[in-house]
Amino acid sequence: DAGITQSPRHKVTETGTPVTLRCHQTENHRYMYWYRQDPGHGLRLIHYSYGVKDTDKGEVSDGYSVSRSKTEDFLLTLESATSSQTSVYFCAISEWAGTARESTGELFFGEGSRLTVL
Amino acid sequence: GENVEQHPSTLSVQEGDSAVIKCTYSDSASNYFPWYKQELGKGPQLIIDIRSNVGEKKDQRIAVTLNKTAKHFSLHITETQPEDSAVYFCAASTSPAAGNKLTFGGGTRVLVKP
């Protein structure tokens, strides 16, 4: 299994409070992603990172920010949590998949962080 | 942006029968189509993928077909077994070589009845 650790695994918080989810990898992969999973919507990309301090928005980035100060850590922050952000959050990693390599850029997922905003 | 539709949302099959899940995508520039399997309480795991220059790919009991003209692709599982029960996601990407920003379908919950 890919070395990906998400913390916390479960969190209950109240509307308006800040929340930070952490993703830690031991694979030295370049790319890191945060997805949220909701029934009927599959997984939707929130933010991703293509290197230290290099991040970009995904399709559902409003209300979320990210930071990556080290290769191994990717933080997702909800500055002021809302009930619509109740979800299961997955971190994923992938390595560079250039044409000279066989890798397809497979995503390896963590086990998820279940967040409930009351 | 890309939009991926997946059907059906739930699928119940008898052990030993085949299961088929279908997906359509909207962006003709998409060129990479993976399928992920998610077991209860776990993160999704890649089970098979196909690139746009290939029409079909098989790996033991699973196969994926791609029709670029119609912009749809399908997952076929033959001789289903109880351990095939899970949620399956299709996805599409235009840039697997530069950070794989996948767009996922809504998922199909497959139940294999013994």
Side-chain angles (χ1 to χ4, degrees):
Chain A
D1 289 343
I4 308 168
T5 304
Q6 290 187 228
S7 59
R9 294 290 313 281
H10 301 272
K11 186 172 182 65
V12 179
T13 192
E14 294 191 347
T15 298
T17 59
V19 176
T20 296
L21 305 180
R22 179 181 183 236
C23 178
H24 178 77
Q25 61 147 328
T26 58
E27 305 296 322
N28 200 35
H29 281 5
R30 176 178 178 179
Y31 300 98
M32 298 186 75
Y33 314 79
W34 277 107
Y35 281 87
R36 61 177 288 175
Q37 182 175 17
D38 305 288
H41 291 277
L43 295 108
R44 291 179 291 174
L45 182 64
I46 305 171
H47 282 280
Y48 66 99
S49 169
Y50 45 96
V52 173
K53 296 193 188 320
D54 291 325
T55 65
D56 206 348
K57 296 178 180 180
E59 62 177 305
V60 290
S61 59
D62 288 348
Y64 302 95
S65 62
V66 290
S67 66
R68 191 171 178 197
S69 59
K70 298 183 290 185
T71 299
E72 57 266 35
D73 289 326
F74 192 32
L75 304 180
L76 176 70
T77 297
L78 292 65
E79 300 290 348
S80 178
T82 68
S83 58
S84 65
Q85 294 175 311
T86 292
S87 186
V88 181
Y89 292 86
F90 285 97
C91 172
I93 63 174
S94 70
E95 59 183 358
W96 181 74
T99 55
R101 300 176 61 170
E102 291 185 3
S103 171
T104 58
E106 174 182 354
L107 263 62
F108 298 94
F109 285 85
E111 298 209 322
S113 295
R114 182 176 295 276
L115 175 66
T116 302
V117 183
L118 302 176
Chain B
E2 174 69 281
N3 183 51
V4 177
E5 300 282 343
Q6 182 172 346
H7 299 282
S9 57
T10 59
L11 180 59
S12 181
V13 297
Q14 208 65 41
E15 182 177 357
D17 288 349
S18 295
V20 180
I21 304 170
K22 298 183 179 182
C23 291
T24 60
Y25 62 98
S26 61
D27 189 345
S28 57
S30 290
N31 55 12
Y32 175 64
F33 306 92
W35 287 87
Y36 282 78
K37 175 183 181 182
Q38 184 179 29
E39 297 178 345
L40 196 61
K42 303 285 189 181
Q45 279 192 303
L46 179 72
I47 55 171
I48 195 169
D49 56 15
I50 191 169
R51 290 189 181 270
S52 59
N53 57 351
V54 175
E56 182 173 359
K57 183 177 179 181
K58 293 183 73 172
D59 183 3
Q60 300 182 335
R61 295 188 296 106
I62 61 174
V64 57
T65 59
L66 171 65
N67 183 327
K68 283 219 72 177
T69 302
K71 290 192 280 190
H72 66 71
F73 56 112
S74 300
L75 177 72
H76 304 253
I77 307 173
T78 59
E79 301 174 20
T80 53
Q81 299 169 6
E83 54 263 37
D84 294 328
S85 295
V87 179
Y88 292 80
F89 293 98
C90 62
S93 168
T94 59
S95 57
N100 216 347
K101 299 183 293 295
L102 295 173
T103 299
F104 285 86
T108 298
R109 184 174 299 277
V110 174
L111 174 63
V112 179
K113 296 180 288 186

